[in-house]
Amino acid sequence: MLTITIAIIVTILDQLVKWLVQTEMDLGETIPIIPHIFHLTYIHNPGAAFGILPHQEWFFLAIVVILFAAYFFMRKKIPQKPIYFPASVAMLLGGALGNAIDRVRYGSVVDFFDFRIWPIFNVADIFICVGVALIVFYFWRHN
């Protein structure tokens, strides 16, 4: 139950921040937070990370369905300790669901964190990356 609760919180947080960006900014608008280093830039990304595979909404939605099916099929086998492992699975699921909601609503993902030397990303992307990194760390530590 912890995993689903965290996944829901991640999804809500992601969607709330995206809603704030969409209501307070115009598409394409950039707000410098630290000029030339970190900006908020509101864009729609039709692809995955780094804009790869643009306009493949059904492919990305299928991946999310597979992730959730795998979770529900394997949920009783997910180690509950250390606590970061079920939390990492939740971060991955919540981030994937947050971006899937965007794909269904807009046919693209709302992105806004802009470090100028890296592709623009969002809250869901952060949770996906942290979740995957923690899962990899778990398996690295536990063979």
Side-chain angles (χ1 to χ4, degrees):
M1 195 63 186
L2 174 67
T3 302
I4 292 299
T5 302
I6 294 172
I8 290 169
I9 291 168
V10 166
T11 303
I12 291 170
L13 177 63
D14 172 66
Q15 290 295 300
L16 177 62
V17 174
K18 288 173 179 174
W19 175 79
L20 286 170
V21 167
Q22 291 176 295
T23 58
E24 299 299 321
M25 296 179 71
D26 294 324
L27 188 60
E29 181 180 358
T30 296
I31 301 171
I33 306 300
I34 303 172
H36 309 293
I37 296 172
F38 176 62
H39 293 213
L40 293 178
T41 302
Y42 171 29
I43 65 165
H44 280 225
N45 177 0
F50 308 105
I52 62 170
L53 300 174
H55 307 290
Q56 301 300 315
E57 294 85 19
W58 291 109
F59 174 72
F60 297 121
L61 291 172
I63 290 172
V64 174
V65 169
I66 291 167
L67 275 174
F68 274 87
Y71 167 73
F72 283 108
F73 180 71
M74 301 292 293
R75 72 185 181 279
K76 293 188 181 189
K77 295 180 181 184
I78 294 174
Q80 297 304 302
K81 293 200 175 171
I83 191 67
Y84 74 81
F85 189 77
S88 64
V89 171
M91 288 183 233
L92 173 59
L93 292 173
L97 182 58
N99 281 343
I101 290 169
D102 287 4
R103 289 186 194 288
V104 169
R105 291 178 70 193
Y106 312 114
S108 60
V109 174
V110 173
D111 284 337
F112 44 87
F113 292 129
D114 181 1
F115 279 95
R116 299 298 180 171
I117 59 168
W118 194 258
I120 302 169
F121 58 98
N122 62 43
V123 172
D125 298 336
I126 294 168
F127 279 108
I128 291 168
C129 290
V130 171
V132 169
L134 288 172
I135 290 168
V136 169
F137 177 74
Y138 173 84
F139 284 111
W140 176 65
R141 297 261 322 202
H142 295 90
N143 293 324

